[in-house]
């Protein structure tokens, strides 16, 4: 049965090798084809345009070709969500650069222009998808879309690239028509929130609404969405009692959040235990709003401007874009859209004239940055929690934090791990004194929680050593002055020394993210990526010295250094 909800029913191209296979396909679907015809009539859509096949001999040579580069949060989001489903656990988001080559051509029979993704025949994973020959290259059959007469080849290429992550990967729910499991018979449903007022955010909002998704577009400015189905709102809204609430609370439950001006994931490691990378915001989006898809489209050039500010950021961002547009494709991960990209997503956008144009004529394009995005993110009001969280994003309520802190204290009273020992700790006076010392330490950067790690180390791609301690650990207290001395002697622009407290719920989450089992521990990062960890009960430590030496010399981490000292 088909759910009675406002949806747009689409059908993905069925690629056949010859006419007999097409005939067989029609017989197999039987009543399903009738359902398609009825639905097509209801939508005033031609049945022929809904289901069109491209035999392997029907495509002519390429007329235009362009490669698009993906990096930063946008690439992370593709690697995690390019499956029209839930989070892809275990995905390697350490990949730095991804590429997608799009081509346009035409059919031999009626010279109908088409756009598709060029197949990478050297990619083993891509061999799972059916391809069609187009002159001297192949294209993925499931990515083909016809280009309407009023749409240029250039706009078709740029729209396909822009739709890949912000729209296709963000689609909340994909369901089979009449309960079908066939990926060729799907429709889209659900609710999505788009954050940002830039042109790309408006394109994403319009595109999702065109596909039948209920969309809220949130911005501090006045974005100009073209689709009447897009609800434009500010970060704050009034509830039924005329009380000011954040946009997430106002929308209630939703399936996807597309963030075009920031990245709450911030490069975090995705694991079974940490499906949201340890980010409190992402955890609360899921638990409070049932939002299972957080899609950041923040590029690395946008991140550079955010990190470096308006004085130094633009120059570095422009240099990065130039570097990406000249990077050898052999160094890039080849990106293949999931099934449904051509007919169920891109075709509807092109037919509805939902387009995203770019000015560049370069054969290789890397989406850059805009000062408007930087100022919107910087001027976005912050929540009163003091954690720097953008207003409207979910935050833990005070009573929730109190309860977590109480449970954590009960656990610590019964069992406190200090390296491989049980017991010890500092009293309240000693703890307060140590906190004041840490705050005034000019040589050691203080890291608070997972968000602090992301802000100080990961997003800035710092090479650093992080001393992980707990307030209950007397061994850690003894190490503190020696670590500060080490930082004073060895810290530089190339190596940052930092300290993180693993106490409480926030500290525990940070400890899980760092992979720390006991304290004191020292976690090393190279260019913002976890390099390794050393457990040492005293300083100086020969094993920590060796790890630091290997880190700075560019060597691989020696895993034997992770073993606890006897």
């Amino acid at each position: 049965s088909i759910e009675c909800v406002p949806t747009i029913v689409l059908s993905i191209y069925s690629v056949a090798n010859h006419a007999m296979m097409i005939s067989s396909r029609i017989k197999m679907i039987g009543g399903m084809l009738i359902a398609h015809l009825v639905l097509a009539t209801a939508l005033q859509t031609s049945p022929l345009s809904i289901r069109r096949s491209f035999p392997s001999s029907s495509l002519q040579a390429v007329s235009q070709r362009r490669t698009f580069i993906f990096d930063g949060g946008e690439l992370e989001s593709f690697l995690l969500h390019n499956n029209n489903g839930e989070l892809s656990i275990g995905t390697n988001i350490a990949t730095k650069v991804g590429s997608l080559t799009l081509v346009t051509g035409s059919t031999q029979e009626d010279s109908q222009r088409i756009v598709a993704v060029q197949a990478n025949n050297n990619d083993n994973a891509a061999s799972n998808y059916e391809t069609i020959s187009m002159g001297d290259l192949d294209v993925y059959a499931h990515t083909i879309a016809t280009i309407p007469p009023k749409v240029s080849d250039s706009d078709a290429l740029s729209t396909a690239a822009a739709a890949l992550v912000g729209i296709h990967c963000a689609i909340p729910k994909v369901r089979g028509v009449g309960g079908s499991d066939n990926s060729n018979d799907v429709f889209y449903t659900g609710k999505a929130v788009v954050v940002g007022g830039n042109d790309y955010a408006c394109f994403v909002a319009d595109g999702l609404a065109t596909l039948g998704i209920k969309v809220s577009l949130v911005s501090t400015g006045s974005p100009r969405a073209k689709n009447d189905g897009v609800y434009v709102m500010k970060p704050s809204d009034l509830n039924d009692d005329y009380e000011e609430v954040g946009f997430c609370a106002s929308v209630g439950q939703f399936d996807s959040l597309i963030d075009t001006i920031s990245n709450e994931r911030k490069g975090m490691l995705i694991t079974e235990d940490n499906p949201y990378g340890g980010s409190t915001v992402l955890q609360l989006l899921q638990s409070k709003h049932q939002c299972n898809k957080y899609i950041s489209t923040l590029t690395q050039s946008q991140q550079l401007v955010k990190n470096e500010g308006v004085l130094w950021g633009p120059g570095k961002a422009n240099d990065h874009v130039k570097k990406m547009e000249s990077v050898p494709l052999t160094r890039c991960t080849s990106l293949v859209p999931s099934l449904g990209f051509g007919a169920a997503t891109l075709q509807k956008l092109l037919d509805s004239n939902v387009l995203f144009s770019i000015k560049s004529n370069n054969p290789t394009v890397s989406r850059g940055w805009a000062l408007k995005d930087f100022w919107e993110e910087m001027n976005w009001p912050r929540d009163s929690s003091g954690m720097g969280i953008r207003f409207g994003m979910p935050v833990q309520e005070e009573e929730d934090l109190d309860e977590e802190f109480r449970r954590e204290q009960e656990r610590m009273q019964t069992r406190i791990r200090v390296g491989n020992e049980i017991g010890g700790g500092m009293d309240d006076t000693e703890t307060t004194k140590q906190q004041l010392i840490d705050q005034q330490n000019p040589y050691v950067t203080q890291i608070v929680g997972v968000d602090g790690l992301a802000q100080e180390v990961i997003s800035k791609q710092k090479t650093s050593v992080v001393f992980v301690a707990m307030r209950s650990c007397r061994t850690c207290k003894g190490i503190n002055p020696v670590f500060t001395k080490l930082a004073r002697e060895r810290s530089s622009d190339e190596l940052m020394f930092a300290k993180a407290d693993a106490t409480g719920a926030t500290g525990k989450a940070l400890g899980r993210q760092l992979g720390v089992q006991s304290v004191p521990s020292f976690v090393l990062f190279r260019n913002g990526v976890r390099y390794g960890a050393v457990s040492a009960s005293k300083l100086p430590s020969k094993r920590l010295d060796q790890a630091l030496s290997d880190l700075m010399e560019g060597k691989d981490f020696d895993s034997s250094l992770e073993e606890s000292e006897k």
Side-chain angles (χ1 to χ4, degrees):
S1 60
I2 301 175
E3 291 193 15
C4 187
V5 294
T7 60
I8 292 179
V9 182
L10 302 164
S11 183
I12 304 175
Y13 292 113
S14 173
V15 181
N17 291 327
H18 47 71
M20 290 300 295
M21 292 182 65
I22 297 175
S23 175
S24 174
R25 171 66 179 155
I26 294 174
K27 292 179 180 179
M28 288 174 60
I29 60 175
M32 186 62 67
L33 180 58
I34 296 174
H36 269 270
L37 294 173
V38 172
L39 290 166
T41 302
L43 292 170
Q44 295 182 344
T45 305
S46 166
L48 183 61
S49 67
I50 283 186
R51 182 176 295 278
R52 179 169 184 175
S53 299
F54 292 92
S56 59
S57 61
S58 69
L59 300 183
Q60 297 184 21
V62 170
S63 57
Q64 284 195 28
R65 178 189 306 176
R66 181 168 287 181
T67 297
F68 295 84
I69 300 298
F70 294 79
D71 61 10
E74 188 172 36
L75 177 60
E76 291 176 5
S77 297
F78 175 88
L79 296 174
L80 289 168
H81 291 290
N82 181 45
N83 59 354
N84 284 343
E86 302 298 330
L87 194 69
S88 298
I89 300 298
T91 300
N92 178 20
I93 64 171
T95 302
K96 295 295 184 182
V97 186
S99 67
L100 179 81
T101 299
L102 289 153
V103 297
T104 58
S106 60
T107 59
Q108 293 180 356
E109 291 82 3
D110 53 8
S111 297
Q112 171 66 58
R113 293 179 299 139
I114 64 99
V115 59
V117 177
Q118 179 178 333
N120 181 358
N121 296 323
N122 296 323
D123 188 348
N124 292 331
S127 63
N128 297 325
Y129 298 98
E130 186 176 357
T131 61
I132 295 179
S133 176
M134 181 185 283
D136 61 347
L137 56 80
D138 294 336
V139 297
Y140 295 114
H142 70 280
T143 68
I144 299 176
T146 58
I147 304 175
K150 294 183 179 181
V151 177
S152 67
D153 281 17
S154 178
D155 281 350
L157 293 170
S158 57
T159 298
L164 177 62
V165 178
I167 295 179
H168 188 63
C169 291
I171 290 169
K173 298 174 184 177
V174 182
R175 295 177 178 174
V177 175
S180 170
D181 293 329
N182 194 320
S183 63
N184 287 339
D185 305 301
V186 301
F187 65 93
Y188 299 150
T189 70
K191 294 172 64 176
V193 174
V194 181
V195 177
N198 51 67
D199 291 342
Y200 182 70
C202 292
F203 164 75
V204 169
D206 287 336
L208 289 171
T210 298
L211 296 177
I213 310 303
K214 187 175 181 180
V215 181
S216 297
L217 177 59
V218 187
S219 173
T220 58
S222 302
R224 298 179 180 178
K226 298 178 181 178
N227 191 301
D228 293 337
V230 175
Y231 175 64
V232 179
M233 61 188 302
K234 297 292 184 181
S236 63
D237 199 8
L238 296 179
N239 62 15
D240 293 339
D241 297 324
Y242 296 98
E243 299 172 332
E244 185 180 49
V245 295
F247 66 88
C248 280
S250 178
V251 175
Q253 294 186 5
F254 49 93
D255 305 284
S256 302
L257 189 147
I258 301 91
D259 194 345
T260 69
I261 60 174
S262 191
N263 183 10
E264 294 294 341
R265 188 173 291 111
K266 301 169 184 173
M268 293 301 182
L269 180 64
I270 306 299
T271 66
E272 291 285 356
D273 295 330
N274 255 341
Y276 298 99
S279 170
T280 303
V281 171
L282 300 194
Q283 292 173 1
L284 292 174
L285 280 172
Q286 198 284 326
S287 62
K288 288 190 172 186
H289 302 283
Q290 285 68 59
C291 175
N292 291 316
K293 281 191 174 185
Y294 172 82
I295 304 289
S296 170
T297 63
L298 197 75
T299 64
Q300 187 59 32
S301 60
Q302 289 176 297
Q303 185 69 57
L304 285 170
V305 175
K306 181 179 177 181
N307 292 346
E308 304 293 336
V310 293
L311 291 180
W312 310 108
K316 292 186 176 182
N318 289 335
D319 289 343
H320 176 78
V321 170
K322 292 178 181 178
K323 179 181 177 182
M324 290 298 98
E325 291 183 345
S326 60
V327 66
L329 296 185
T330 53
R331 294 178 53 191
C332 302
T333 297
S334 181
L335 307 183
V336 184
S338 61
L339 294 175
F341 177 71
T345 299
L346 181 57
Q347 188 65 64
K348 186 61 180 179
L349 299 181
L350 296 177
D351 290 343
S352 303
N353 204 40
V354 180
L355 307 175
F356 188 79
S357 302
I358 59 174
K359 297 179 181 179
S360 174
N361 292 319
N362 294 340
T364 301
V365 179
S366 176
R367 192 163 64 85
W369 61 279
L371 200 56
K372 178 182 178 181
D373 301 344
F374 170 80
W375 286 121
E376 177 164 27
E377 200 280 334
M378 289 294 294
N379 294 323
W380 195 285
R382 259 46 185 182
D383 190 88
S384 60
S385 64
M387 297 297 292
I389 298 173
R390 286 172 292 170
F391 185 81
M393 290 290 189
V395 295
Q396 284 185 310
E397 302 297 336
E398 186 173 350
E399 54 267 25
D400 296 333
L401 292 171
D402 290 343
E403 178 62 19
E404 286 191 17
F405 182 76
R406 183 190 65 77
R407 290 197 300 265
E408 182 67 19
Q409 292 301 306
E410 289 180 353
R411 286 192 292 266
M412 290 177 60
Q413 289 173 6
T414 58
R415 187 172 186 269
I416 302 174
R417 290 193 65 178
V418 180
N420 293 320
E421 302 173 6
I422 303 294
M426 295 183 284
D427 58 29
D428 292 343
T429 301
E430 291 175 313
T431 297
T432 302
K433 181 178 179 180
Q434 184 60 56
Q435 288 175 329
L436 291 173
I437 293 174
D438 289 342
Q439 293 170 4
Q440 299 172 4
N441 191 333
Y443 306 105
V444 179
T445 300
Q446 301 302 311
I447 292 176
V448 180
V450 173
D451 291 336
L453 177 70
Q455 180 177 348
E456 298 294 341
V457 179
I458 296 176
S459 65
K460 295 181 180 179
Q461 298 183 339
K462 287 283 190 178
T463 296
S464 58
V465 53
V466 181
F467 170 29
V468 185
M470 292 181 68
R471 293 195 292 269
S472 58
C473 173
R474 282 198 171 275
T475 304
C476 300
K477 179 186 177 183
I479 286 178
N480 271 313
V482 188
F483 184 73
T484 298
K485 180 175 181 293
L486 182 64
R488 186 174 65 248
E489 294 173 347
R490 299 190 59 174
S491 63
S492 64
D493 292 340
E494 290 74 33
L495 179 62
M496 181 181 79
F497 283 75
K499 182 181 177 182
D501 188 354
T503 304
T506 300
K508 184 178 180 181
L510 176 61
R512 288 197 301 266
Q513 179 62 44
L514 292 171
V516 170
Q517 301 297 323
S518 62
V519 294
S521 288
F522 301 86
V523 183
L524 289 76
F525 287 81
R526 175 183 285 162
N527 299 325
V529 177
R530 189 181 187 278
Y531 173 71
V534 175
S535 178
S537 58
K538 62 180 180 179
L539 292 181
S541 165
K542 291 183 179 179
R543 294 191 299 118
L544 179 59
D545 289 342
Q546 182 63 52
L548 285 172
S549 177
D550 292 346
L551 171 69
M552 301 309 294
E553 292 176 8
K555 298 179 181 178
D556 292 337
F557 181 71
D558 183 354
S559 59
S560 66
L561 298 176
E562 286 192 324
E563 298 175 2
S564 300
E565 289 182 333
K566 302 293 185 180

